[in-house]
């Protein structure tokens, strides 16, 4: 409501999904309660329909569980995948990006202390370079950084061409900005190099290949040997579970015998404590056995009493062609379709 008090009421609220409907009903109830409390003409004026906002669109995450299960391929997405982003901040090892400028902690005796293992960096649009890189496909981040490095080098060398005092004064006034950009360039170059090691690994390529085969509609059972191989390599369990949940979500479940086999492999490879992990994923409807499905919706989930939940998930097989979710040729340099963020898959949300 504070947002609507400031900018006016949302003229139209539309959404998709059960939770979106609940949120819309809550917003309408809060609007009615706020209107009942209004007493002055001034406050009533603030509750008029907004002239700057056309609609509020609410999308329930349960409508599209595939998107968060896929590996993000934008620069910001890969940083989140590898290092984790929380509240627009990431904690990065100082062995990768170095200590903060001017940071030299000392002990009480005056001797320098050992450098802290991690450094927290801010990742938002206040960093002009990050604002340019965050939504770019990772494949073009290297050339973009190279272009910025050449520009900064040229601008810094221009100081030798300054002939008058005014020109020198202008250069000195811009120096703090150059130094901030240089520091930002150093950080993002180091992050890019570290992410490159990750993306060039055989495991990453194999996982990405399995994901793209699943979303493109190939026979999911053809990917089972590759998933079993990844389990044998002892890659992180979260990666295995994301692949299995992805297949389950897209295909309306996994064949019962295949699902039982994967559960046994996971418990043998990663430990019996993950019985609860598998159970919770099944309760959430993310990892289920395949059953006869409705042509457009597939019922999933189990309620607390054991009855089937009324929640439904999207049938991607029906929507893949209707909404053109798969784009064969993606222009990563100058993207004209949202599919560039997953190198060929257009996310529903």
């Amino acid at each position: 409501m504070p947002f609507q008090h400031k900018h006016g009421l949302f003229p139209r609220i539309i959404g998709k999904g059960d939770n979106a409907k609940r949120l819309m009903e809550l917003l309408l109830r809060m609007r009615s309660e706020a209107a009942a409390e209004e007493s002055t003409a001034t406050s009533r004026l603030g509750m008029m329909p907004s002239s700057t906002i056309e609609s509020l669109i609410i999308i329930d995450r349960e409508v599209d569980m595939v998107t968060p299960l896929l590996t993000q391929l934008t620069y910001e997405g890969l940083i989140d995948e590898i290092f984790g982003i929380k509240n627009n901040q990431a904690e990065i090892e100082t062995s990768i990006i170095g200590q903060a400028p001017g940071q030299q902690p000392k002990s009480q005796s005056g001797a320098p202390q050992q450098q802290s293992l991690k450094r927290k960096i801010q990742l938002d649009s206040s960093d002009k370079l990050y604002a340019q890189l965050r939504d770019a496909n990772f494949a073009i981040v290297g050339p973009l950084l190279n272009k910025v490095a050449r520009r900064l080098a040229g601008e810094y060398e221009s100081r030798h061409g300054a002939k008058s005092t005014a020109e020198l004064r202008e250069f000195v006034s811009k120096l703090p900005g150059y130094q901030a950009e240089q520091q930002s360039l150093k950080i993002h170059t180091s992050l890019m190099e570290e992410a490159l090691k990750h993306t060039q690994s055989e495991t990453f390529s194999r996982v990405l290949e399995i994901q793209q085969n699943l979303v493109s509609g190939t026979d999911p059972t053809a990917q089972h040997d590759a998933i079993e191989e990844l389990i044998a390599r002892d890659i992180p369990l979260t990666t295995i579970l994301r692949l299995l949940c992805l297949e389950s979500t897209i295909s309306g479940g996994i064949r019962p015998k295949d699902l039982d086999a994967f559960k046994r492999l996971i418990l043998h490879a990663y430990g019996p404590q993950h019985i609860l992990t598998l159970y919770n994923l099944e309760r959430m409807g993310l990892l289920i056995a395949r059953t006869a499905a409705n042509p457009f919706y597939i019922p999933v989930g189990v309620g607390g009493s054991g009855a089937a939940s009324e929640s439904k998930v999207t049938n991607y097989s029906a929507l893949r062609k209707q909404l053109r979710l798969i784009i064969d040729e993606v222009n990563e340099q100058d993207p004209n379709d949202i599919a560039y963020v997953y190198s060929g898959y257009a996310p529903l949300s």
Side-chain angles (χ1 to χ4, degrees):
M1 289 308 297
F3 184 89
Q4 293 188 79
H5 274 292
K6 183 176 181 181
H7 299 281
L9 298 174
F10 300 123
R12 183 175 62 160
I13 302 177
I14 55 178
K16 179 68 175 177
D18 295 338
N19 290 321
K21 180 182 178 182
R22 294 189 189 100
L23 177 57
M24 182 180 68
E25 291 172 347
L26 179 60
L27 287 173
L28 293 176
R29 181 168 62 83
M30 293 173 64
R31 177 187 296 184
S32 300
E33 293 174 353
E37 294 175 358
E38 300 293 351
S39 58
T40 65
T42 304
S43 58
R44 281 198 298 271
L45 184 62
M47 297 299 290
M48 296 293 290
S50 174
S51 59
T52 57
I53 301 172
E54 180 180 341
S55 302
L56 172 65
I57 302 174
I58 307 170
I59 301 178
D60 184 353
R61 169 47 65 203
E62 290 185 359
V63 171
D64 177 26
M65 290 302 299
V66 167
T67 297
L69 290 172
L70 291 171
T71 299
Q72 306 171 73
L73 295 178
T74 59
Y75 179 65
E76 182 177 45
L78 276 175
I79 293 177
D80 187 32
E81 294 276 353
I82 300 170
F83 304 106
I85 298 176
K86 186 176 182 181
N87 299 327
N88 290 334
Q89 292 181 327
E91 289 190 354
I92 313 295
E93 294 180 2
T94 53
S95 60
I96 297 174
I97 60 173
Q99 285 281 62
Q103 184 177 350
Q104 186 67 24
K106 294 185 178 181
S107 62
Q108 294 181 352
S109 61
Q113 292 180 338
Q114 184 179 5
Q115 290 186 346
S116 59
L117 296 178
K118 289 191 175 183
R119 171 183 167 191
K120 187 174 291 187
I121 60 172
Q122 190 73 20
L123 296 172
D124 56 29
S125 297
S126 62
D127 181 345
K128 295 181 180 179
L129 178 56
Y130 181 68
Q132 297 176 35
L133 300 175
R134 64 189 306 174
D135 294 326
N137 188 286
F138 186 73
I140 67 170
V141 170
L144 289 176
L145 288 172
N146 190 30
K147 182 178 179 180
V148 173
R150 291 199 305 269
R151 175 180 62 79
L152 288 177
E155 291 178 353
Y156 190 72
E157 287 300 321
S158 66
R159 73 189 190 280
H160 297 302
K163 298 180 180 179
S164 66
T165 305
E167 291 175 338
L168 285 173
R169 188 183 301 112
E170 182 182 0
F171 173 80
V172 171
S173 67
K174 294 180 179 178
L175 193 57
Y178 291 148
Q179 292 173 336
E181 279 196 89
Q182 286 278 9
Q183 181 63 24
S184 177
L185 178 64
K186 179 182 177 182
I187 289 174
H188 292 296
T189 301
S190 300
L191 290 177
M192 189 271 295
E193 291 173 348
E194 191 66 22
L196 199 59
K197 297 176 186 176
H198 182 77
T199 57
Q200 289 179 340
S201 67
E202 183 183 353
T203 298
F204 181 87
S205 300
R206 199 64 184 273
V207 169
L208 198 61
E209 180 184 359
I210 295 171
Q211 290 179 353
Q212 293 182 338
N213 287 339
L214 288 172
V215 297
S216 64
T218 58
D219 182 8
T221 58
Q223 311 305 316
H224 289 178
D225 288 343
I227 297 176
E228 290 177 5
E229 180 186 343
L230 293 174
I231 295 175
R233 291 186 180 185
D234 196 30
I235 71 168
L237 177 59
T238 52
T239 302
I240 298 297
L241 293 177
R242 283 175 71 171
L243 291 174
L244 293 176
C245 290
L246 180 64
E247 178 185 337
S248 177
T249 302
I250 290 176
S251 306
I254 301 175
R255 283 194 314 188
K257 67 174 185 178
D258 292 337
L259 180 59
D260 290 340
F262 277 124
K263 287 181 176 179
R264 284 195 298 272
L265 284 174
I266 288 171
L267 296 178
H268 289 161
Y270 299 97
Q273 70 273 19
H274 292 294
I275 290 177
L276 289 176
T277 305
L278 297 171
Y279 173 71
N280 288 330
L281 288 173
E282 183 177 353
R283 281 181 58 87
M284 295 171 64
L286 289 174
L287 188 59
I288 60 174
R290 186 183 304 164
T291 58
N294 179 289
F296 296 101
Y297 293 102
I298 305 164
V300 297
V302 177
S305 61
S309 170
E310 295 181 358
S311 64
K312 300 172 185 290
V313 295
T314 305
N315 186 339
Y316 287 86
S317 298
L319 294 180
R320 188 179 293 114
K321 292 182 179 179
Q322 295 177 15
L323 301 182
R324 296 182 67 245
L325 299 183
I326 302 299
I327 306 298
D328 294 329
E329 296 184 5
V330 178
N331 187 349
E332 296 170 345
Q333 299 286 339
D334 186 19
N336 56 5
D337 193 287
I338 192 62
Y340 85 94
V341 299
Y342 287 109
S343 292
Y345 169 75
L348 283 175
S349 61

